[in-house]
Amino acid sequence: MPMTEKRQTVLAEPRGFCAGVRRAIGIVERALELHGAPVYVRKEIVHNHYIVSELEKRGARFVDSEAEVPEGAVCVFSAHGVSPAVRAASDDRRLEVIDATCPLVAKVHQEALRYAREGRTVLLVGHAGHEEIEGVRGEAPDRTVVIETVEDAERCALPDDTPVACLTQTTLSFDETARIVEALHRRFTDIVSPGSDDICYASQNRQNAVKELAAGCDLVLVVGSRNSSNSLRMVEVAREHGCAAHLVPDVGHLDERWLRGVRSVGVSSGASAPEILVRELVQRLAELGHDDVQVRRGAHEDVVFSMPGRLTDPVTGRVPRTPLADEAS
């Protein structure tokens, strides 16, 4: 009898939670521990349905606006950041605010404010309507133009000699962003950009890992929610590198038809996707015959963002373990 050909599942590393996501989830967990339920969270703390559901079970209440939070209540700002107008409205309602904005997003906020004060128009590369873009744009709404595509860059209704500064959403595809930034530099004669890239280290590392999967696998599956920008970009990157790819919010969304004729499946996950969802997907793939599990290691990540001081233990000065945030550790 002929030998059955092995079918592989190749796991990418790094994958899953980044430092900013782990910090944001931990902030909500710690706030619930200190203040008790309910703790209100403006928007989704991170863009993942599983995380939101688990935190809701523990007493978090997710709202679309600070106006929905009872006056004086505890309110956590999501990892994607908020505009100064949101902060002012929260102050008016005397909310006890705990800020979970990712430090890398906060850096973009500061850059936008600085360039606007210098008299430059901020060209903000990203997706209009995304929470991160709305927050950064709010730093200087009259001096900010959102650029989504190369065509937007070429058609931007500003004189070519306008002093401008280019900033980007942190979760974009590096390759696509580079094309837009290059178009802006061709277009404007007085343009500056930050000394370091705005695209976060975790998004870039996960995109690079997906490129490696795409080069050696027949199919790439990315675990992540449909509203997760960085997860969607990972799927796009795999497809751009010639590999079939799909977003899998959880194992229930796996379409077995995708596996027809596939020997090797690459699996990764977005920066806000917990490892439990990856484990469930890998288990199901094994049940379907892809039981030879390999790991493809890429960049090593050891970044840790500190928690707000007010959440530390008053005796030890440390932050107690936050189980959901540490789930992928």
Side-chain angles (χ1 to χ4, degrees), residues 51-114:
I51 295 298
V52 169
S53 176
E54 287 298 307
L55 289 173
E56 283 179 330
K57 293 174 185 176
R58 301 176 193 197
R61 298 290 180 267
F62 293 88
V63 297
D64 287 329
S65 168
E66 64 285 354
E68 299 174 50
V69 181
E71 290 196 10
V74 176
C75 180
V76 179
F77 291 158
S78 82
H80 304 101
V82 300
S83 68
V86 170
R87 294 182 185 277
S90 300
D91 288 343
D92 289 343
R93 297 184 63 77
R94 303 189 308 280
L95 302 183
E96 187 171 345
V97 168
I98 304 174
D99 192 354
T101 301
C102 173
L104 299 181
V105 175
K107 178 178 76 73
V108 179
H109 277 253
Q110 293 304 311
E111 290 166 345
L113 189 58
R114 173 166 61 89

Side-chain angles (χ1 to χ4, degrees), residues 22-314:
R22 186 172 283 110
R23 174 180 180 270
I25 297 169
I27 284 174
V28 178
E29 290 186 275
R30 182 64 174 146
L32 285 165
E33 183 179 351
L34 290 174
H35 299 282
V39 164
Y40 293 85
V41 183
R42 188 184 183 277
K43 306 290 187 180
E44 293 186 353
I45 186 66
V46 296
H47 285 159
N48 185 268
H49 64 288
Y50 176 90
I51 295 298
V52 169
S53 176
E54 287 298 307
L55 289 173
E56 283 179 330
K57 293 174 185 176
R58 301 176 193 197
R61 298 290 180 267
F62 293 88
V63 297
D64 287 329
S65 168
E66 64 285 354
E68 299 174 50
V69 181
E71 290 196 10
V74 176
C75 180
V76 179
F77 291 158
S78 82
H80 304 101
V82 300
S83 68
V86 170
R87 294 182 185 277
S90 300
D91 288 343
D92 289 343
R93 297 184 63 77
R94 303 189 308 280
L95 302 183
E96 187 171 345
V97 168
I98 304 174
D99 192 354
T101 301
C102 173
L104 299 181
V105 175
K107 178 178 76 73
V108 179
H109 277 253
Q110 293 304 311
E111 290 166 345
L113 189 58
R114 173 166 61 89
Y115 285 128
R117 285 172 174 169
E118 291 174 358
R120 293 185 177 273
T121 296
V122 175
L123 303 178
L124 184 56
V125 179
H127 301 293
H130 189 278
E131 290 162 40
E132 182 181 331
I133 289 295
E134 291 302 301
V136 174
R137 183 179 178 276
E139 295 291 350
D142 296 335
R143 301 195 68 88
T144 302
V145 178
V146 177
I147 305 291
E148 295 193 85
T149 63
V150 170
E151 290 73 23
D152 287 347
E154 294 171 343
R155 298 170 184 170
C156 181
L158 293 172
D160 293 351
D161 60 351
T162 303
V164 298
C166 177
L167 299 175
T168 69
Q169 184 178 328
T170 62
T171 56
L172 299 180
S173 159
F174 180 84
D175 296 334
E176 177 61 21
T177 302
R179 290 190 285 270
I180 297 173
V181 172
E182 288 169 4
L184 290 172
H185 277 266
R186 288 194 301 269
R187 167 73 192 281
F188 292 98
T189 59
D190 185 2
I191 181 171
V192 297
S193 298
S196 59
D197 294 329
D198 287 338
I199 294 177
C200 93
Y201 76 93
S203 292
Q204 186 58 60
N205 287 345
R206 281 149 188 72
Q207 289 171 27
N208 289 343
V210 160
K211 291 177 186 178
E212 293 294 321
L213 291 182
C217 297
D218 303 312
L219 171 69
V220 170
L221 302 177
V222 176
V223 178
S225 290
R226 299 189 191 282
N227 62 341
S228 168
S229 177
N230 77 89
S231 300
L232 292 169
R233 302 292 82 72
M234 290 166 68
V235 174
E236 291 175 358
V237 166
R239 290 173 178 170
E240 288 168 359
H241 284 75
C243 189
H246 299 283
L247 185 74
V248 184
D250 55 51
V251 68
H253 289 80
L254 174 65
D255 189 334
E256 295 178 21
R257 293 174 295 181
W258 299 338
L259 302 176
R260 292 173 183 168
V262 169
R263 291 186 304 105
S264 181
V265 180
V267 174
S268 188
S269 54
S272 53
E275 186 66 9
I276 186 174
L277 300 183
V278 176
R279 291 196 296 265
E280 291 174 350
L281 176 61
V282 170
Q283 179 179 342
R284 181 57 183 153
L285 289 171
E287 293 169 355
L288 295 171
H290 291 265
D291 53 358
D292 179 14
V293 180
Q294 306 289 326
V295 177
R296 183 163 297 171
R297 292 180 171 84
H300 173 67
E301 293 181 353
D302 56 7
V303 177
V304 176
F305 293 139
S306 61
M307 299 273 273
R310 62 191 291 192
L311 300 182
T312 59
D313 186 287

